[in-house]
């Protein structure tokens, strides 16, 4: 499935000082409405394309650190035939939220040591509403996170999670603990360009330790999704181009043979996908 945090991560690289120079609805809760086009997304067994709107929000205040987004898949009716969305018996809603709660601030005890600046109870919740069990997902990652001091103008964060899998598109690992995730996120401001902040943002999800591949020959126990984003951020308008690499995307085994009733086909879960985003912050 698509992942809409792309623009939000780019926006997160803008300094709080720069944001404060402009008028927003909140001085810490940053929001945007975006339109995202994606090409050859590999979270499922079939390559999908889509054009859809998204609401993104992020912010950090006291002990609370948040990032999240809500998508309405295929809202504009644009996408390839296997891809279904809000108006053609597909998912009317897809969301992901990543709340983190500062252990340092909640306990009043400085836990920093070495390069580790602050520690968090970290969560990542993914929900795909779907219209039936086979098109519905509900996944909760929970664990420990930290912000890391690099000594450079680079923001770096690391989260390590265990995964509880509720619904998972009717896969064999529903309603159980199944696997782990390591998430690495970073942002590198590059320069000012055309009156905007030009930045490189990246993050990678390493999923491992699942037993799904032991139960289903078309699935795997591990997967990787790695995003590489170039963004331009003006006071309100944003744009980003993203290249995203999948290895066994969505824990589908690349080149496995499947048949959903329309003939045999081979899974294309390893390779690159592209995203283009335009958004307005308020």
């Amino acid at each position: 499935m698509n992942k809409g945090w792309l623009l939000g991560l780019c926006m997160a690289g803008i300094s709080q000082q720069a944001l404060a120079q402009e008028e927003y609805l909140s001085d810490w809760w940053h929001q945007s409405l975006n339109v995202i086009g994606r090409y050859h997304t590999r979270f499922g067994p079939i390559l999908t394309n889509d054009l859809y709107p998204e609401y993104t929000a992020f912010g950090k205040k006291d002990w609370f650190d948040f990032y999240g987004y809500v998508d309405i898949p295929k809202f504009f009716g644009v996408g390839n035939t296997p891809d279904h969305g809000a108006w053609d018996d597909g998912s009317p809603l897809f969301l992901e939220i990543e709340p983190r709660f500062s252990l340092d601030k909640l306990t009043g005890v400085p836990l920093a040591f070495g390069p580790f600046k602050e520690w968090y109870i970290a969560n990542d919740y993914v929900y795909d509403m779907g219209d039936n069990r086979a098109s519905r997902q509900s996944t909760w990652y929970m664990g420990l996170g930290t912000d890391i001091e690099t000594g450079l103008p680079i923001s770096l964060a690391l989260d390590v999670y265990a995964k509880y899998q509720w619904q998972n598109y009717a896969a064999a690992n529903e309603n159980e603990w199944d696997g782990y995730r390591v998430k690495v996120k970073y942002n590198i401001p590059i320069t000012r360009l055309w009156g905007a902040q030009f930045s490189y943002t990246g993050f990678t999800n390493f999923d491992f330790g699942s037993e799904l591949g032991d139960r289903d020959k078309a699935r795997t126990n591990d997967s990787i999704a790695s995003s590489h984003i170039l963004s331009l951020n003006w006071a309100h308008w944003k744009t980003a181009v993203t290249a995203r690499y999948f290895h066994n995307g969505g824990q589908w085994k690349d080149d496995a043979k499947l048949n959903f009733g329309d003939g045999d086909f081979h899974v294309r879960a390893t390779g690159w996908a592209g995203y283009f985003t335009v958004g307005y912050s308020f």
Side-chain angles (χ1 to χ4, degrees):
M1 184 61 192
N2 51 300
K3 290 288 186 180
W5 21 245
L6 303 178
L7 185 63
L9 285 173
C10 299
M11 292 165 58
I14 309 172
S15 69
Q16 296 298 314
Q17 181 179 0
L19 286 169
Q21 294 174 358
E22 300 295 333
E23 184 177 350
Y24 296 87
L25 294 181
S26 171
D27 61 356
W28 73 276
W29 184 255
H30 308 297
Q31 310 172 82
S32 70
L33 292 175
N34 316 309
V35 175
I36 299 177
R38 60 180 176 87
Y39 177 73
H40 277 184
T41 301
R42 300 170 187 265
F43 277 110
I46 301 173
L47 297 178
T48 60
N49 310 314
D50 198 357
L51 182 70
Y52 57 95
E54 173 187 277
Y55 167 79
T56 300
F58 72 92
K60 183 174 183 178
K61 188 172 185 179
D62 299 327
W63 48 267
F64 183 55
D65 182 27
F66 180 86
Y67 172 75
Y69 66 90
V70 178
D71 295 339
I72 305 178
K74 209 177 177 184
F75 178 84
F76 300 107
V78 177
N80 59 340
T81 301
D83 184 34
H84 298 279
W87 318 121
D88 55 2
D89 298 323
S91 176
L93 182 74
F94 183 92
L95 67 84
E96 181 174 11
I97 58 173
E98 298 181 24
R100 301 198 303 172
F101 308 100
S102 171
L103 287 168
D104 301 55
K105 292 183 173 65
L106 287 172
T107 63
V109 178
L111 301 175
F113 67 93
F116 304 106
K117 299 188 294 182
E118 191 168 358
W119 292 88
Y120 303 86
I121 298 171
N123 300 271
D124 186 351
Y125 177 69
V126 180
Y127 177 68
D128 188 352
M129 183 178 288
D131 69 337
N132 55 55
R133 182 186 171 205
S135 62
R136 197 170 295 135
Q137 178 192 12
S138 180
T139 309
W140 182 19
Y141 301 89
M142 62 199 82
L144 193 64
T146 185
D147 295 332
I148 300 172
E149 178 59 60
T150 64
L152 298 169
I154 299 173
S155 61
L156 178 64
L158 174 70
D159 298 318
V160 180
Y161 311 100
K163 179 179 70 174
Y164 190 82
Q165 186 67 68
W166 281 291
Q167 293 172 302
N168 189 25
Y169 309 113
N173 64 341
E174 292 189 328
N175 300 307
E176 63 183 49
W177 294 95
D178 185 49
Y180 307 90
R181 167 173 287 184
V182 173
K183 181 191 292 285
V184 181
K185 299 180 288 187
Y186 55 89
N187 177 271
I188 304 173
I190 299 174
T191 188
R192 299 291 297 181
L193 181 65
W194 302 317
Q197 176 63 53
F198 180 50
S199 300
Y200 167 58
T201 302
F203 86 90
T204 301
N205 289 330
F206 300 93
D207 294 318
F208 62 96
S210 169
E211 296 181 356
L212 181 58
D214 299 335
R215 308 178 194 182
D216 186 337
K217 65 180 181 179
R219 309 304 293 268
T220 64
N221 292 336
D222 56 78
S223 66
I224 297 173
S226 184
S227 296
H228 306 274
I229 308 155
L230 292 175
S231 65
L232 285 168
N233 298 277
W234 287 269
H236 291 284
W237 288 101
K238 325 288 175 183
T239 186
V241 176
T242 301
R244 190 167 203 208
Y245 181 74
F246 294 87
H247 175 72
N248 295 330
Q251 290 184 242
W252 288 95
K253 182 181 293 184
D254 191 54
D255 206 37
K257 183 186 289 188
L258 294 175
N259 189 326
F260 291 157
D262 297 321
D264 292 344
F265 69 94
H266 289 269
V267 173
R268 294 291 178 258
T270 295
W272 290 92
Y275 297 74
F276 180 74
T277 304
V278 175
Y280 183 83
S281 300
F282 56 94

